[in-house]
Amino acid sequence: MSRRSGILEFAVLGLLRESPMHGYELRKRLNTSLGVFRAFSYGTLYPCLKSLVANGWLAEETGGAPEDARAASLAGRRAKIVYRLTAEGKEHFEELLAHTGPDTWEDEHFAARFAFFGQTSRDVRMRVLEGRRSRLEERLEKLRASLARSRSRLDDYTLELQRHSMESVEREVRWLNELIESERAGRDRRIGPDK
């Protein structure tokens, strides 16, 4: 399984833990709520859903009232399939939530994991946040070393791009430090414009 499909499976299971949904609703939620899935299609989502059903982690149900299904068949349309998390799927998602390995610190994995921090235990959140910070500090050191080695050979625009990259990583490290401090203090933190 590819990294991206693993992230998609994680996110689908997490969203369906909240409530059953059909494919269109899932795609909309993935795109608007999680953001990390902006560039994926139904051609990616539906094979993922079929795989999750085959593994026994999701169940398919025909959505809507019986008259809706009858009206859809008369109009030549298929009834919507609603996906629901099974008990095995919930258990599998709980296992995924508890995972704190290095892949959870990478860019795409971290964003998806962070989207479900409200469902994640504090000790797991801490390990993921600290791992992410460590990974970014390593990246920052490499960027600084690269800039120091190549500064004289780069034009102004390339230098500016490298500075921008460093500032972005530094900003995320500061943000992670704040989150980690908040977790250590045992505070639940409201994130967003209306903190």
Side-chain angles (χ1 to χ4, degrees), residues 111-123:
R113 288 300 298 261
F114 193 80
F116 294 99
F117 262 23
Q119 300 177 41
T120 306
S121 68
R122 182 168 277 148
D123 63 315

Side-chain angles (χ1 to χ4, degrees), residues 5 52 62 80 115 151 178 194:
S5 66
L52 293 171
T62 303
K80 289 183 180 174
R151 180 181 298 270
E178 291 172 11
D194 59 331

Side-chain angles (χ1 to χ4, degrees), residues 61-66 68-69 79-82:
E61 300 168 350
T62 303
D68 292 342
K80 289 183 180 174
I81 296 174
V82 174

Side-chain angles (χ1 to χ4, degrees), residues 37-80:
F37 295 102
R38 285 188 191 110
F40 88 98
S41 66
Y42 289 113
T44 306
L45 177 60
Y46 284 105
C48 174
L49 290 169
K50 294 297 178 196
S51 170
L52 293 171
V53 168
N55 285 326
W57 298 329
L58 297 183
E60 294 177 322
E61 300 168 350
T62 303
E67 57 272 3
D68 292 342
R70 198 171 41 250
S73 68
L74 290 174
R77 296 181 309 210
R78 293 187 324 200
K80 289 183 180 174

